[in-house]
Amino acid sequence: MTASNSTPAEPAAKEVLPYTHGLTGVDVPLDDSLTNILWLSIGALCLVILCVRFGQMGNAHLRHLLNLNASALQQSYWSEDRTSIWPKLKNNLLYAPLWRKRHNREFQLSRAMNVGTLPSRLHTLILSVYLISNIIYCMYLDYRDPKPKIMAELRGRTGHLSIVNMLPLIVLAGRNSPFIPLLRVSFDTYNLFHRWIGRVVALEALVHTLAWATNEYDAKGMKGISNSLHTVPLLSYGLLGTVALAAIMVQAPSIIRHAFYETFLHIHQFLAMMTIVGVKVHCKLGKLPGEGYIDWVIAIWVLERAARLFRILYRNVSPRRLTKVTVEALEGPGIEACRVSIDLVRPWRYTPGCHLYIYLPVISFWMNHPFSIAWSDTRPTIDTTAADEKFPQRKSSCVDLGAHTTTTLSLIIAKRTGMTAKLFEKARASATGTLTTYGMVEGPYGGLDSLHSYGTVILFAAGVGITHQIGHVRELLEGHAAGTVATQRVVLVWSVKNTETLEWVRPWMDEILQMPNRKQVLKVLLFVTKPRSAREVVSRSETVQMFPGRCNPNIVLGREMIGRVGAVSVTVCGPGAFADEVRGAVRVVVDEGKTVDFMEESFTW
């Protein structure tokens, strides 16, 4: 093909008309080839992540086996990285924020309004490759062709890629995605990619519509566009999909999403359904090659929702019992929160660091919110019916289930706005300050990181972030006593506003402090940022120390690394600014060649 030196005249309406509908001018084989390249790229990325994860898991398993009951001297082999490549990779890519130290610290316009966070350097690299590749695929056209054919090919390309990209979009939106445990990537990261892929899907759909409108205008004018959209079902449903996606783009930015999250979620789900319906009917009526992809999107969405429904019913409903929720209001200066106990009807495999979604019809019938599980206990089951609890004066129909046990999960829900504020006020309004009701939980989710192979574990928490860390403390102390973990030093660093906040976890911390091997293994560092007086901040012992003022992760980590045993794991759960400070401190240590792995638990939705 050779380019013409002359400028072609504007095509006549009758010459444009064939390119306004159907597959005329659309290069279907090329669209399929580009789609295959896109899938190969995604598959290659998943394969690389899988290989890295297998390597990390294999190294951790070997370290775990070799360090069981090993002395600090014997574990010293694992305290330094044996290659300079891996520390540089972690410091400059895997753990690196996009710019300076800022990653999960939100850009805030006010206390109630923020405009989101910055992706990490690795996330930015992956997203950039994905975005650039989609732009190249869309713009890979023969610009020597007549304008109507170029517009038709652009229409077909962008429409097809928009539908194809809906597949990873819907996979990344699901809590029950098998790729979460397989690749050991957190749902928070999946949600980040879900948002960006959603933007690509919406923009490609918009370009698809504009390319169609360009040819339609040249052939029929504005009245022809309006008439076609009103009288041709194929186009009407296509417009429905595009408008729904455009509406999602308008209501999904962080500043709106966080300010009105519950409203946003309902509208978002409704618009997503309208998008799927519009695209499905559009493809079916037009007999378009993208119909198979939208069928997969529908199938995945239905399966994921069915899996969630099954888990909810299985965990919370039995012929004789329902999940019981007890909410205790914790009042006091700076400690307005709820301690929530959940008695499940069936066993729950708890792992430290996991979280659940809780449904409380007494507060909101449809809404559910994620919370880290702070504590888990089991006890023998005495089964009672709901009627027995409602009418205790009746003859009880309780049944001793012998070897069966009941799992009780405990949460700390700090009072914020919306659902958390309503829950706190309802519990506080009761005569005893305790609300007993029925609810449902969905999970468990997360808890992907095992700390058993590390000689030293340093757990940073700020505020309610303690709920993610305290379960790790108990598990590691129990494992040390049983000889099933390599961990010999555990340091819990908790930053709180005032000493009253300690009441949140007092029952569980008292249990931990009474464990027989606690003094040999555990050190607790409490930082009180706003104490009412210096007399409140008094260290109980060498292993439980309190300090006034803000926690400086650089200083804490520098001191604790001196006496480290073997490989070190540093985990953090707390506000974005605090987590970014810990991340920065870890990068300094990693750059020195020490074996330190960093793990962050965040909910930046």
Side-chain angles (χ1 to χ4, degrees):
M1 292 182 290
T2 58
S4 174
N5 293 325
S6 60
T7 302
E10 193 70 22
K14 63 179 181 180
E15 296 175 354
V16 178
L17 190 60
Y19 295 101
T20 60
H21 59 276
L23 298 178
T24 303
V26 177
D27 194 339
V28 176
L30 181 57
D31 291 348
D32 290 338
S33 297
L34 294 175
T35 299
N36 291 335
I37 295 174
L38 178 62
W39 287 127
L40 286 173
S41 302
I42 296 175
L45 174 63
C46 292
L47 183 61
V48 169
I49 296 174
L50 191 63
C51 290
V52 171
R53 292 306 189 204
F54 279 156
Q56 291 175 321
M57 292 166 62
N59 181 66
H61 184 66
L62 180 63
R63 184 173 62 214
H64 185 199
L65 293 179
L66 295 178
N67 288 330
L68 287 176
N69 301 314
S71 65
L73 181 62
Q74 291 171 323
Q75 289 205 37
S76 61
Y77 172 83
W78 303 91
S79 64
E80 303 284 342
D81 273 306
R82 303 299 164 177
T83 174
S84 61
I85 298 177
W86 188 240
K88 289 181 179 178
L89 190 63
K90 290 197 293 187
N91 189 47
N92 296 301
L93 183 63
L94 300 181
Y95 299 163
L98 178 60
W99 183 63
R100 294 186 178 179
K101 293 194 301 183
R102 192 163 200 151
H103 173 45
N104 274 332
R105 181 182 178 185
E106 297 173 331
F107 292 92
Q108 290 190 312
L109 300 180
S110 68
R111 291 187 61 184
M113 300 174 66
N114 72 78
V115 291
T117 60
L118 288 176
S120 71
R121 198 169 295 173
L122 177 61
H123 295 157
T124 302
L125 176 62
I126 295 172
L127 286 170
S128 297
V129 172
Y130 171 77
L131 293 172
I132 292 172
S133 64
N134 268 271
I135 293 173
I136 293 173
Y137 300 153
C138 292
M139 301 305 295
Y140 189 70
L141 308 167
D142 190 344
Y143 294 97
R144 296 167 296 184
D145 288 335
K147 176 187 172 184
K149 186 177 186 307
I150 293 174
M151 288 294 104
E153 188 172 357
L154 180 62
R155 167 174 58 84
R157 182 77 43 75
T158 53
H160 188 72
L161 286 175
S162 181
I163 297 173
V164 169
N165 281 309
M166 284 185 183
L167 263 178
L169 177 69
I170 203 74
V171 169
L172 295 172
R175 300 171 188 171
N176 295 283
S177 171
F179 293 100
I180 294 177
L182 179 64
L183 302 179
R184 305 184 79 81
V185 175
S186 70
F187 182 61
D188 188 68
T189 299
Y190 276 39
N191 207 266
L192 168 69
F193 285 97
H194 169 78
R195 294 195 296 269
W196 280 99
I197 292 176
R199 292 169 184 138
V200 171
V201 168
L203 289 174
E204 287 175 338
L206 182 60
V207 173
H208 168 77
T209 303
L210 292 175
W212 166 82
T214 299
N215 277 346
E216 191 77 6
Y217 177 80
D218 290 340
K220 303 177 182 178
M222 284 302 298
K223 289 185 178 180
I225 291 177
S226 177
N227 183 63
S228 296
L229 291 174
H230 283 87
T231 60
V232 182
L234 165 72
L235 302 177
S236 300
Y237 280 98
L239 181 63
L240 171 64
T242 301
V243 170
L245 283 170
I248 290 176
M249 289 279 284
V250 171
Q251 60 104 214
S254 179
I255 192 170
I256 298 175
R257 188 172 69 248
H258 286 89
F260 311 100
Y261 182 75
E262 296 182 1
T263 303
F264 152 79
L265 192 59
H266 288 305
I267 296 175
H268 185 80
Q269 291 172 343
F270 173 77
L271 291 174
M273 291 179 62
M274 291 299 97
T275 299
I276 292 174
V277 170
V279 173
K280 168 61 181 177
V281 178
H282 178 70
C283 290
K284 188 174 183 63
L285 294 176
K287 299 180 180 179
L288 302 178
E291 185 179 1
Y293 291 103
I294 198 66
D295 288 340
W296 275 106
V297 168
I298 295 172
I300 293 172
W301 187 85
V302 170
L303 286 174
E304 203 277 334
R305 292 285 165 166
R308 286 177 58 181
L309 180 61
F310 172 78
R311 295 182 76 164
I312 292 171
L313 294 177
Y314 177 78
R315 296 291 187 194
N316 301 279
V317 180
S318 75
R320 300 184 61 83
R321 290 193 299 151
L322 300 173
T323 291
K324 186 170 72 173
V325 180
T326 303
V327 183
E328 177 188 359
L330 303 176
E331 294 188 77
I335 66 164
E336 290 188 329
C338 295
R339 185 186 293 129
V340 181
S341 300
I342 306 167
D343 294 334
L344 299 176
V345 301
R346 287 191 174 87
W348 179 294
R349 186 178 179 275
Y350 166 77
T351 56
C354 66
H355 63 273
L356 56 75
Y357 292 81
I358 186 168
Y359 299 77
L360 293 172
V362 70
I363 303 297
S364 176
F365 188 76
W366 289 109
M367 290 304 301
N368 59 93
H369 297 262
F371 298 100
S372 293
I373 303 173
W375 204 255
S376 176
D377 281 314
T378 58
R379 66 178 187 276
T381 296
I382 301 296
D383 196 10
T384 60
T385 65
D388 291 334
E389 297 182 2
K390 188 174 182 180
F391 304 105
Q393 71 276 12
R394 292 174 43 175
K395 182 179 179 181
S396 175
S397 56
C398 66
V399 179
D400 186 351
L401 298 183
H404 292 272
T405 58
T406 293
T407 300
T408 299
L409 306 176
S410 298
L411 320 172
I412 295 296
I413 301 179
K415 179 189 175 184
R416 300 283 188 255
T417 58
M419 173 264 187
T420 59
K422 293 178 183 177
L423 182 64
F424 176 81
E425 296 298 338
K426 196 169 187 66
R428 184 170 63 175
S430 64
T432 60
T434 300
L435 170 69
T436 300
T437 183
Y438 291 98
M440 295 180 291
V441 295
E442 180 188 346
Y445 296 108
L448 302 175
D449 300 314
S450 172
L451 307 180
H452 296 177
S453 67
Y454 297 96
T456 302
V457 175
I458 304 175
L459 308 160
F460 284 90
V464 78
I466 189 64
T467 57
H468 179 78
Q469 308 291 32
I470 197 169
H472 284 297
V473 175
R474 179 173 70 166
E475 182 190 51
L476 292 173
L477 290 179
E478 291 174 343
H480 180 271
T484 58
V485 300
T487 308
Q488 296 189 17
R489 291 192 70 232
V490 178
V491 181
L492 175 62
V493 185
W494 188 18
S495 176
V496 296
K497 287 185 178 181
N498 50 52
T499 54
E500 285 83 1
T501 307
L502 304 179
E503 183 62 30
W504 287 356
V505 297
R506 185 177 299 279
W508 311 317
M509 190 58 72
D510 286 345
E511 186 175 329
I512 286 174
L513 295 178
Q514 293 173 9
M515 297 179 75
N517 59 333
R518 186 267 304 176
K519 291 185 178 181
Q520 292 75 34
V521 180
L522 177 65
K523 179 195 288 187
V524 180
L525 305 178
L526 300 172
F527 290 85
V528 184
T529 59
K530 297 179 180 179
R532 289 183 296 182
S533 68
R535 290 176 297 177
E536 289 184 332
V537 186
V538 178
S539 299
R540 295 177 56 179
S541 66
E542 285 297 318
T543 57
V544 180
Q545 302 178 28
M546 297 181 69
F547 306 92
R550 294 169 59 86
C551 170
N552 188 322
N554 283 289
I555 295 176
V556 172
L557 202 55
R559 289 175 178 172
E560 297 305 325
M561 291 299 292
I562 296 174
R564 73 187 187 281
V565 176
V568 179
S569 170
V570 178
T571 75
V572 61
C573 184
F578 181 77
D580 288 352
E581 291 293 330
V582 176
R583 177 186 293 268
V586 169
R587 292 181 65 210
V588 172
V589 176
V590 168
D591 198 42
E592 297 171 354
K594 298 179 177 66
T595 302
V596 180
D597 289 338
F598 176 69
M599 306 165 193
E600 179 180 3
E601 179 72 8
S602 60
F603 296 94
T604 58
W605 306 344

